[in-house]
Amino acid sequence: MNRRDTPPLLQIKDLKVQFATRAGIVQALRGVSLAVRPGETLGLVGESGSGKSVTSQAIMGLISPPGEIIEGQIEWRGQPLVGAQHTAHGAGIWGKEISTVFQDPMTSLNPLMTVGAQIGEVLTHHLKMTRAQARRRSAELLAAVGISAPERRLDEYPHELSGGMRQRVMIAIAIACEPALLIADEPTTALDVTIQAQILELLVRLQKELGLAIIFITHDLGVVAGLCHRTSVMYAGQIVETGESDFIFEHPAHPYTQGLLGSTLRLDVSEDELLYIDGLPPSLISPPDGCSFRPRCPLASDICRKAPTHAMTGGGTAACWHAKTPAWDGMDR
C-alpha cells in the first residue's frame, strides 16, 4: 500500500495555541494542521519563533499555563489525544507510543541521576519491568544507539559523557518502549558537524529497524533534503507550504519557501549570489491581517490583505495568492 493511502498515526486539525505575557497575548500557533503516517519522516522547518517547538510541545501535552490550546484537536490513531474541548488523554501514550528527543541533552537529562536510572525509569513506569530487567534492557538500548561499554556507562552521570553520547542516551530513552512516533526537536543543534552526521545516520537506521514515524524539527534545509519524505514549512505560527520534500525543493511555491532555499549555501552557487529575506518576522501579539509574510514579500499586492487559501502546487499545498510565481530573481538557477 502506498504510504499516502495509509491512515495517519497523528493528525493535527486547526490547532491554535496562545501564551499570556506581560506584553500581551502571543498567538504562537494560528490554525496549524498536519498529518504523519506510519514509517514516514516529516520535516518541520522555519526560522526561530515560527512555532515548530510549540507544535511538538502541544503533541506531547506540554502546553501549560500561561500557555493554552484555545482551538483545534490532536488525534492519535483516529482518537482524540489533546485539544481545546477536553482534557489530555495521552498519559498512557506519551513516552510509550509517542516520544521525543530534545535539542540540548545536557538540560534534558537529570544531572543527579545515572544514565541507567534515567533509562530504567521509562521501562519500569511504562512496561512494568523489574529493576533487574530494566537494567539489562537499558544496556541493550545503549548498545543499540552505538555507545561502547554500555554496562559501564549505565553507572555514569550525564556530565561524564560527551555531547554526542548524551544525545545518544536521549535517543535510547526515547526508543525504550519502541514508540510508533518519534519527535526529534533539533536534536543535532548543539553538536559538532561530525557528531551531527552520526546522530542522523543513527535515526535513519533506527527508523528502518523499528518502523518509526519521525517528525524532524529543524532549521537546516540540507538535513531535510536528505532525511525527510515530506516537508511542512512554518512561518509566524502557521504552515505556509507542505508537500513531498523532493517536489518542494525543486519547485518551491510559497515566496517564503523560495526565500529560505535561495538563502541556503549551495556548492553550485557563489556566495555573492545568495538571496536574503529582508525584514523581520511579525509580532505574534498583533500579527498582520491576511498573509503574515506580506510585509516581507516582493509579490505582495492588495489581495494579500485577505487570508490566503491553500492552493494545490502539484506536490502539496501552499498558502499564497501568488503560489508558484517566482518571487526572487535567480530562483531557477
Side-chain angles (χ1 to χ4, degrees):
M1 180 183 289
N2 191 299
R3 186 184 292 114
R4 281 177 287 184
D5 299 327
T6 306
L9 279 174
L10 179 84
Q11 189 154 26
I12 301 177
K13 300 178 179 178
D14 196 32
L15 189 67
K16 297 181 181 180
V17 176
Q18 67 181 28
F19 291 86
T21 71
R22 291 180 179 179
I25 301 297
V26 176
Q27 301 173 46
L29 297 183
R30 303 186 295 134
V32 167
S33 297
L34 58 81
V36 185
R37 291 175 172 78
E40 81 168 347
T41 301
L42 173 70
L44 199 57
V45 302
E47 58 198 293
S48 297
S50 60
K52 305 186 301 296
S53 292
V54 174
T55 300
S56 73
Q57 290 165 9
I59 295 169
M60 293 300 295
L62 298 177
I63 302 296
S64 58
E68 178 186 10
I69 295 176
I70 59 170
E71 193 173 318
Q73 207 82 292
I74 301 174
E75 295 180 355
W76 176 250
R77 301 187 189 273
Q79 299 299 314
L81 178 66
V82 64
Q85 303 304 318
H86 54 76
T87 56
H89 295 287
I93 295 174
W94 295 317
K96 185 177 182 182
E97 295 187 53
I98 307 174
S99 59
T100 188
V101 179
F102 297 104
Q103 61 180 286
D104 187 354
M106 196 60 207
T107 58
S108 301
L109 293 170
N110 188 331
L112 302 180
M113 292 176 64
T114 64
V115 166
Q118 296 188 61
I119 303 175
E121 189 175 48
V122 177
L123 297 168
T124 55
H125 177 74
H126 287 294
L127 302 183
K128 310 305 179 187
M129 289 186 178
T130 65
R131 293 180 65 180
Q133 290 172 329
R135 183 176 176 85
R136 286 195 298 271
R137 179 57 179 155
S138 297
E140 292 172 359
L141 288 165
L142 289 183
V145 298
I147 292 181
S148 59
E151 286 284 351
R152 176 164 60 86
R153 301 297 184 187
L154 290 176
D155 297 317
E156 294 182 345
Y157 290 86
H159 73 270
E160 299 179 88
L161 307 179
S162 67
M165 291 178 69
R166 287 195 291 264
Q167 194 61 286
R168 289 173 188 268
V169 170
M170 284 296 301
I171 294 172
I173 293 171
I175 66 169
C177 297
E178 299 188 0
L181 174 63
L182 177 68
I183 302 172
D185 188 355
E186 303 203 33
T188 60
T189 297
L191 306 176
D192 65 56
V193 175
T194 303
I195 304 302
Q196 284 182 24
Q198 293 175 4
I199 295 299
L200 294 176
E201 289 173 5
L202 172 61
L203 290 174
V204 170
R205 176 172 64 81
L206 291 173
Q207 182 177 44
K208 291 178 180 177
E209 292 176 357
L210 303 176
L212 286 170
I214 297 176
I215 297 177
F216 197 91
I217 298 173
T218 184
H219 59 272
D220 190 332
L221 292 171
V223 170
V224 172
L227 189 70
C228 301
H229 302 107
R230 291 190 304 117
T231 299
S232 290
V233 181
M234 293 196 74
Y235 183 77
Q238 298 175 314
I239 290 179
V240 296
E241 184 165 2
T242 190
E244 299 294 323
S245 296
D246 290 345
F247 189 90
I248 286 180
F249 276 75
E250 289 293 327
H251 308 283
H254 196 282
Y256 178 63
T257 309
Q258 295 175 18
L260 282 181
L261 291 172
S263 60
T264 301
L265 187 65
R266 288 167 38 179
L267 294 177
D268 58 341
V269 179
S270 63
E271 263 187 66
D272 57 355
E273 292 183 278
L274 285 177
L275 303 176
Y276 69 95
I277 302 174
D278 198 14
L280 296 171
S283 166
L284 293 183
I285 294 177
S286 55
D289 294 332
C291 176
S292 296
F293 191 59
R294 173 172 52 85
R296 306 173 72 186
C297 181
L299 298 179
S301 62
D302 286 343
I303 196 172
C304 299
R305 296 183 182 277
K306 294 171 56 180
T309 56
H310 282 260
M312 296 300 296
T313 63
T317 62
C320 178
W321 293 108
H322 304 288
K324 296 187 282 189
T325 303
W328 313 90
D329 292 337
M331 277 306 299
D332 58 346
R333 63 176 184 265

